[in-house]
Amino acid sequence: MARKPVDHIRPYFPLAGLFLAWILLPIPIKKALRKGFHEFQAPSWEALSWGRDLQNFWSVRTQSHSELISQGRDLARLNGAYRLQVMENESLRQEIKRMETLLDLPPRPRYHYEVARVTHRQIGTWWHEMTVRKGRDHGILEGNGVVYAGGVVGKVQKVYSGTSVVRLVTSPGFRMPATFQGQTQPLYIQGWQGGGLNKPQGRVRNVPISTQVSPDSPGYLVSTSLGQVFPNGLHIGKVEQLEQASNGLFQEGTVTFPSELYNLNEVAILVYPSRARPAKNP
C-alpha cells in the first residue's frame, strides 16, 4: 500500500510546532529563557576553565628545574621593566593631578581593573563574543570596557551573576570612537566580519582627506576618552590603506586588529565607581 504524501513530512510537525511556539512567545519570556539557559550552562563552562587551569599547573610542575630557572629569570626581567613603568605612570598621574588643580578642571572618572579568565567562546560567534569568569557579583556592569596587554578587546554586552559576555572589537555590532596616534581628529571604528579567524579586521570611517597612510607608513589607531568608556592612548589596530568614502567628504579603510584577540585566556575589565558609570552601548 502506497504511503500518503503527508507521511514523509509528519516527523517535522513537532519541530514546526516548537518553532511556531517560539515565534509567538512574548519577548520578555524569550529573554528570561535565554538568561536562564545561560545561567544553566555557565557552571559547566566555569568548571572546564578551572580544569584547564589545573592542567596548566601540573604541566608546569613536570618541567625541569633548568627550564623553571630560565623562566624565572625572564619573569624577573619583566618585573623590573614593569616596576619602572609603574613609577613612570605614578609620576605622570601626579603631574596630571597637579595640572587639574592649577587649571581648576573637574577630575576624570577613576576606575580599577578587574582581571577575568576567559571561560568560553562559541565557534559560531568566535569573532563576536567571549564569556569571562566575572559578573555582577564582582561589580561588572553592561558597557564596561575590556582590555588586555595589547590594547582594546571590546565591551561588556551582558552581565550575569558570576559571568559576563564580552562583545569583541571585531564584531560587526561593535562601535567606538578612536583617533590616529599623534592626532586629535575623532574617527569612527566598526567591527567587520571579513578577515576570517586568522586576520581580525574592522572598518575606520570619517577619516579626513588630508590623512595619508601606506603599508610602509601605516596609521596606528588608539582609543580616546570621548566615548567615556576607554582612557586615551590604548592600542586598537593599524590602517595601511584608505579610500574615498561614498559621500566624498571623508576617507575610510580596513583596520587590522592584533591576532591575539582570538587567543586570549585572560582580560581586564574597566570597572568604574557607581557615580561614574559609562553609558551603555549596543
Side-chain angles (χ1 to χ4, degrees), residues 160-233:
Y160 302 94
S161 59
T163 59
S164 299
V165 178
V166 177
R167 174 173 285 175
L168 302 182
V169 67
T170 54
S171 170
F174 182 92
R175 298 172 179 83
M176 68 172 292
T179 185
F180 279 115
Q181 194 172 32
Q183 300 182 11
T184 58
Q185 175 69 32
L187 311 173
Y188 172 81
I189 292 180
Q190 181 177 6
W192 180 44
Q193 183 183 331
L197 290 178
N198 296 324
K199 195 174 182 181
Q201 294 181 343
R203 298 290 293 178
V204 58
R205 309 183 192 278
N206 294 351
V207 181
I209 298 295
S210 59
T211 302
Q212 301 294 326
V213 299
S214 67
D216 296 330
S217 180
Y220 292 94
L221 290 167
V222 295
S223 62
T224 172
S225 59
L226 293 176
Q228 300 181 353
V229 176
F230 299 99
N232 291 319

Side-chain angles (χ1 to χ4, degrees), residues 51-83:
R52 287 193 296 268
D53 292 345
L54 183 62
Q55 182 181 7
N56 293 334
F57 170 78
W58 285 109
S59 66
V60 172
R61 289 291 299 270
T62 59
Q63 293 182 356
S64 64
H65 289 290
S66 59
E67 291 176 338
L68 293 177
I69 291 173
S70 176
Q71 293 179 4
R73 291 197 191 101
D74 295 338
L75 288 176
R77 296 189 188 100
L78 287 174
N79 287 335
Y82 289 151
R83 289 192 189 100

Side-chain angles (χ1 to χ4, degrees), residues 13-39:
F13 286 169
L15 182 61
L18 290 174
F19 181 72
L20 183 61
W22 177 257
I23 292 177
L24 296 178
L25 277 177
I27 292 179
I29 296 180
K30 290 181 181 179
K31 290 183 177 180
L33 289 175
R34 289 196 190 101
K35 182 177 180 180
F37 188 65
H38 179 92
E39 296 283 8

Side-chain angles (χ1 to χ4, degrees), residues 255-269:
V255 182
T256 302
F257 299 115
S259 58
E260 292 89 347
L261 287 174
Y262 290 157
N263 303 298
L264 293 176
N265 293 318
E266 199 169 64
V267 297
I269 303 174

Side-chain angles (χ1 to χ4, degrees), residues 79-93:
N79 287 335
Y82 289 151
R83 289 192 189 100
L84 291 176
Q85 291 182 3
V86 168
M87 293 171 61
E88 182 180 358
N89 290 338
E90 183 61 29
S91 175
L92 292 174
R93 204 167 11 244

